[in-house]
Amino acid sequence: MLRRRLVAALYASWSNSKDQNIKLNVRGHFMKKALLPVAVAALLPLSAMADVTVYGKANVSLQNADENGDSKVELVSNASRIGIKGDEAITDGLKVIYQFEYQTEVDDGVGGNGQTFGQRNIYVGLQGSAGTIMAGHFDTPLKAAQEKVDVFNDLEGDLVHVFNGEIRASNIVQYTTPKSFGPFVGNIAYITKETDGVDNGVSASIGYSASDLYLAVAMDRDVLAEGVDMVRVVGRVNLGAVQLGAMYENTDIDGLDDGDGFLVSALWNLTDTWAVKAQYAESDYKIAPGGLDNESLSLGVDYKLSQNAVVYGYYSAVETQDGASASLRDDDYVGIGLDLKF
Amino acid sequence: MKKIVMILLCGGIASVSAEECVLAVDVAESMNVNASNECDSTDSGLNGVVHRWFKRDQKSSAGNSPQEKEIPRASIKVSPPANSAESLATARFELLSAISQECVQGFRITDEMYLPVDGELTIRLLYECL
């Protein structure tokens, strides 16, 4: 009961907050002005453009959504995006790195706040033998620590619907250890709220990354909101064609109840083209949007058309107790889609 | 049950392919700034078009600038005097051989002169390396 009141209060506070630094949009922080990536590209010097990589993906699915008793067929764009990234050498051991990435809605062309392009991971930084320092608007180390364990990333089964730490932060400065550390990598980020009297956030992670094994521990302090701390532990192992993943997250709110969440996933590459996958996740509560006893179960199949294109089918069941109204919500989704990467 | 799992895993191991490169969009999503296994897409797809376009653009802007335009440097080689048709042909061949060693990508003869010296002929070749 205490937990329900807590989440309801947090949800209400979050919904009414005018502070954009606290009201972090977990699905993409949308720009106030529609800014074409092309315009950004045009601002770069010609020498920089020579080393630029244009990339993106169009991920669209047709799904039947049974949400809270209402059933409808909908076409959804699943975090489709376009971006440019690259680097420019300053000296032998030092280079400037940059990335500009924007989300676009393939289904109807309109994203959040009525804008066509929403800002995703954007940064500029310096990379050298001592590591990388970068600044901008991008995923916190805790969010990035999930690596590939979420096998329904960007779909309805995405762990963002269950876990708290999926934050793309504004005004973030990050240091990453250098390549010379081999499979070990450490990240520490400082997120300024740009508000007097509000504690700024810190996010950090340490990981070991090899092709068949990935392990990471990450933490957030005052990132989602002042007084909210998180710890996340992630693991992935590849046993031949089978990938197994697991994640644990603890959310602690100053002086109040803390909540746990976990995820397990499996992906099996049956052949070079066919793969089946399953994922289950649950958490005690989610702060924004507020929800209690969240559960998500997803099953899916992928058919690889090429290295860049995948046709997929999925079923996801997402259950949550609304933090504000305390009503139980049970949503089901079944759909097919196409994911094209370039 | 254990047997079934083992069979599935063995089947999986048999069908696993070598580690592939990672597409730029996935590298970007991972926020891994140290990634070294990103697919090289400079010659294919949209990036191929972009890179070719910029290379062409750079080339044409270089061509439009007289200061930056590379002017081939003309050189000259002279043969020793020859007093017979055979020695003249040999002298010319030796000149061309010497030029070809200097101009590994080929050359162009821009002028060829035969000058009398004490009743013999000297060959003078003007050339430009390609």
Side-chain angles (χ1 to χ4, degrees):
Chain A
M1 194 60 191
L2 169 66
R3 218 171 53 192
R4 186 175 298 157
R5 280 203 303 270
L6 161 71
V7 173
L10 278 167
Y11 178 66
S13 149
W14 175 80
S15 301
N16 296 329
S17 171
K18 288 179 182 175
D19 182 359
Q20 287 296 317
N21 295 311
I22 296 172
K23 196 196 280 185
L24 290 162
N25 189 332
V26 291
R27 300 286 285 182
H29 189 88
F30 289 93
M31 298 163 58
K32 291 186 175 62
K33 294 177 182 175
L35 182 63
L36 293 171
V38 175
V40 176
L43 294 174
L44 292 169
L46 199 63
S47 57
M49 287 303 294
D51 295 323
V52 75
T53 298
V54 181
Y55 68 90
K57 75 172 186 175
N59 186 332
V60 65
S61 60
L62 185 67
Q63 69 180 17
N64 184 79
D66 187 351
E67 293 174 320
N68 216 14
D70 295 332
S71 183
K72 62 185 173 187
V73 174
E74 57 186 6
L75 186 67
V76 285
S77 178
N78 305 301
S80 301
R81 69 199 71 161
I82 186 163
I84 55 171
K85 67 191 192 79
D87 57 67
E88 191 171 357
I90 306 298
T91 63
D92 268 356
L94 186 68
K95 62 184 177 182
V96 175
I97 59 169
Y98 58 87
Q99 178 175 308
F100 298 86
E101 184 178 295
Y102 298 91
Q103 185 160 320
T104 182
E105 307 306 317
V106 176
D107 56 338
D108 56 15
V110 180
N113 296 342
Q115 303 294 342
T116 304
F117 288 96
Q119 189 167 342
R120 289 179 58 89
N121 289 326
I122 292 187
Y123 60 78
V124 63
L126 285 170
Q127 187 170 55
S129 57
T132 303
I133 187 142
M134 53 206 257
H137 169 82
F138 49 84
D139 294 346
T140 61
L142 182 130
K143 182 186 178 189
Q146 67 166 275
E147 209 234 14
K148 294 186 281 191
V149 298
D150 182 0
V151 293
F152 287 87
N153 190 31
D154 298 332
L155 301 177
E156 301 294 348
D158 192 315
L159 63 82
V160 71
H161 301 301
V162 177
F163 283 79
N164 282 315
E166 297 298 285
I167 298 166
R168 181 167 296 133
S170 295
N171 310 307
I172 176 170
V173 181
Q174 179 175 312
Y175 168 76
T176 301
T177 53
K179 282 181 187 176
S180 57
F181 281 31
F184 296 95
V185 62
N187 299 288
I188 184 159
Y190 177 77
I191 300 114
T192 172
K193 303 282 175 58
E194 297 184 341
T195 306
D196 185 32
V198 176
D199 287 348
N200 294 322
V202 174
S203 181
S205 69
I206 298 173
Y208 172 86
S209 182
S211 58
D212 292 335
L213 180 66
Y214 172 78
L215 297 167
V217 181
M219 58 75 71
D220 268 9
R221 186 176 178 83
D222 300 325
V223 175
L224 179 61
E226 195 175 17
V228 178
D229 300 336
M230 281 174 259
V231 174
R232 183 178 276 193
V233 181
V234 188
R236 170 184 59 80
V237 62
N238 287 49
L239 303 167
V242 177
Q243 174 190 303
L244 301 173
M247 191 168 102
Y248 165 79
E249 186 178 89
N250 175 271
T251 304
D252 179 59
I253 303 171
D254 269 359
L256 296 170
D257 218 354
D258 64 341
D260 298 319
F262 75 90
L263 172 148
V264 287
S265 67
L267 184 148
W268 181 18
N269 291 299
L270 295 168
T271 67
D272 286 344
T273 50
W274 287 97
V276 291
K277 56 191 183 180
Q279 182 165 293
Y280 176 77
E282 70 166 54
S283 69
D284 291 338
Y285 62 77
K286 187 163 161 39
I287 296 172
L292 290 168
D293 299 326
N294 310 282
E295 274 184 43
S296 170
L297 171 69
S298 298
L299 303 169
V301 58
D302 292 348
Y303 178 73
K304 206 171 177 179
L305 299 170
S306 71
Q307 190 190 5
N308 299 34
V310 174
V311 175
Y312 58 87
Y314 59 93
Y315 165 77
S316 288
V318 183
E319 211 176 273
T320 186
Q321 194 169 347
D322 191 278
S325 64
S327 59
L328 188 66
R329 184 176 169 135
D330 189 359
D331 301 335
D332 294 283
Y333 305 89
V334 59
I336 54 168
L338 173 64
D339 186 13
L340 171 70
K341 295 175 179 176
F342 58 91
Chain B
M1 184 62 186
K2 278 183 182 172
K3 281 182 182 172
I4 294 171
V5 172
M6 287 304 289
I7 290 166
L8 292 178
L9 290 177
C10 290
I13 290 165
S15 64
V16 73
S17 57
E19 193 183 350
E20 293 176 340
C21 62
V22 182
L23 294 169
V25 65
D26 293 327
V27 173
E29 179 153 33
S30 73
M31 289 298 297
N32 180 4
V33 292
N34 292 335
S36 55
N37 57 343
E38 185 176 324
C39 299
D40 181 7
S41 55
T42 49
D43 291 329
S44 60
L46 182 58
N47 283 290
V49 173
V50 170
H51 282 91
R52 280 192 293 276
W53 186 73
F54 275 103
K55 273 182 188 169
R56 192 186 61 187
D57 195 55
Q58 281 179 317
K59 217 179 252 182
S60 70
S61 53
N64 291 337
S65 165
Q67 284 85 6
E68 292 173 10
K69 191 174 179 181
E70 195 177 330
I71 300 165
R73 199 178 55 176
S75 303
I76 188 167
K77 280 214 184 318
V78 183
S79 75
N83 56 10
S84 67
E86 195 177 285
S87 61
L88 191 66
T90 303
R92 189 175 189 279
F93 176 76
E94 284 171 354
L95 282 181
L96 293 173
S97 295
I99 296 170
S100 69
Q101 283 177 5
E102 189 181 317
C103 304
V104 290
Q105 291 184 323
F107 57 90
R108 178 188 304 117
I109 300 296
T110 54
D111 201 2
E112 186 169 352
M113 289 173 280
Y114 294 84
L115 305 172
V117 180
D118 299 332
E120 296 179 330
L121 279 176
T122 295
I123 308 171
R124 190 175 293 181
L125 296 181
L126 264 70
Y127 64 95
E128 291 171 359
C129 291
L130 300 179

